[in-house]
Amino acid sequence: MDSAEYERKVASRFAAFDQDGNGSIDREDFSRAAAAVLAEFSVTARSDRGQALYSGAEAFWQGMAGIADVDGDQRVSREEFVTGAAKRLRDNPDRFCEIARPFLHAVVAIADEDGRGVTPAGAERVLRALGATEADAARAARALDGDGDGRIAESEVVAAFAAYCVTPERPS
């Protein structure tokens, strides 16, 4: 994948982070994402799992801002997002995993309703809560259960999220 194609791919991911559609990513977008997941699973914000999710969202925001908020205005523009991902993360998706991991860990803890791992149905609910279409959420949730055992491990979630957001390869 050439650089221009990679930048187009990363730019298309911007909308998933811009939860309120205002043209920039900010702390509120991460809080909005956390609130949507909590509402989907009827988990209160003041519960331990709710607090962990908001803490994870804040850590994710801080990591994203540290990588991409070049002008320091506490907002990440589409251009900053593309440039930040293209220049800082393309060759180091593990860095992205590290900034996303606290949030994803908390999401998994919420979506894993029986303590045995997230089911594809649980993953689909998360994806829909975060703005994916019903068809895209269903397709992605099925793909996450790579071994077909009906459970999705946290490591699979983190790797798939990084692949979707920053790696040049097209995830399967």
Side-chain angles (χ1 to χ4, degrees), residues 67-150:
I67 288 170
D69 184 17
V70 177
D71 61 12
D73 66 354
Q74 294 298 300
R75 291 187 316 262
V76 175
S77 69
R78 186 171 189 251
E79 181 179 333
E80 286 174 322
F81 182 79
V82 171
T83 302
K87 290 188 177 170
R88 295 184 183 97
L89 299 174
R90 180 177 187 167
D91 296 324
N92 190 5
D94 290 339
R95 172 76 175 116
F96 186 80
C97 289
E98 290 309 310
I99 67 170
R101 191 177 314 278
F103 178 73
L104 296 174
H105 175 76
V107 167
V108 167
I110 289 169
D112 180 359
E113 297 183 283
D114 64 5
R116 299 181 333 161
V118 178
T119 63
E124 188 175 341
R125 288 175 64 192
V126 168
L127 293 167
R128 281 194 326 263
L130 294 176
T133 66
E134 193 169 319
D136 286 345
R139 185 173 34 259
R142 282 191 307 273
L144 284 170
D145 184 18
D147 61 7
D149 70 351

Side-chain angles (χ1 to χ4, degrees), residues 27 30 56-67 74 95 99:
R27 177 178 279 112
F30 287 85
E58 177 62 20
F60 196 177
W61 161 245
Q62 290 296 326
M64 175 76 71
I67 288 170
Q74 294 298 300
R95 172 76 175 116
I99 67 170

